[in-house]
Amino acid sequence: MTTGTGNTTVHLAVYDTLADWETGHATAWLARAGHTIRTVGPAAGEPVTTLAGIRIVPDLALGDLRPEDSALLILPGADTYDEGD
């Protein structure tokens, strides 16, 4: 989403068993370039736990994400990528 300052919002998908090491360089460089990074999870406010055991509380629920509000959606890997929904 473009804001008045020309910044855009980049969404980072977060979910249990997220491979947390995969996104560090991309999110750091995008943030340094002026993008706002927001996390998107199965449910806003419900913590997820990465493979390293880090708990992340998503900013937004995936069901509430509108494509027109996002310049980019980063989908990192996870141990559970092939386990259903």
Side-chain angles (χ1 to χ4, degrees):
M1 174 170 89
T2 304
T3 64
T5 61
N7 293 341
T8 55
T9 300
V10 171
H11 290 93
L12 170 64
V14 296
Y15 29 82
D16 286 329
T17 74
L18 164 76
D20 40 15
W21 62 89
E22 290 184 350
T23 64
H25 284 90
T27 54
W29 281 102
L30 287 164
R32 290 180 90 183
H35 299 278
T36 300
I37 310 296
R38 295 198 60 209
T39 54
V40 179
E46 294 293 321
V48 297
T49 305
T50 71
L51 277 170
I54 298 168
R55 290 172 44 100
I56 299 172
V57 178
D59 297 313
L60 181 68
L62 183 58
D64 295 332
L65 178 61
R66 299 177 338 150
E68 61 270 19
D69 292 338
S70 187
L72 176 68
L73 174 61
I74 300 173
L75 298 169
D79 272 355
T80 58
Y81 73 94
D82 62 351
E83 292 182 5
D85 295 343

